[in-house]
Amino acid sequence: MGALAWLIIPAVAAVLASLWALWAARAPKSAGDPASLAEHQRFLAAMERSTAGPGTASTDGLGR
């Protein structure tokens, strides 16, 4: 009976994993939140302004 349990447990786990994968892939993903993207762009612009002080020239494109 113990050997049967060791065979049933992975089988049940595989069935549950398959069901979860089907459920997770059922709906198309959205392209993103435009408001969140705009906020992120404003944040990046503010960080770029704060790290690049007056008179500092960045030659490597990383702001160093």
Side-chain angles (χ1 to χ4, degrees), residues 3 5 10 25 30 32 46 48 53:
S30 65
E48 192 170 307

Side-chain angles (χ1 to χ4, degrees), residues 2-62:
L4 185 60
W6 282 106
L7 291 174
I8 290 175
I9 292 171
V12 170
V15 169
L16 290 176
S18 298
L19 290 174
W20 178 83
L22 289 171
W23 179 77
R26 77 189 189 292
K29 305 294 183 234
S30 65
D33 184 12
S36 177
L37 184 59
E39 290 176 14
H40 181 65
Q41 293 295 334
R42 287 194 304 271
F43 171 75
L44 289 178
M47 291 303 293
E48 192 170 307
R49 284 193 305 268
S50 69
T51 58
T56 58
S58 173
T59 57
D60 63 357
L62 298 175

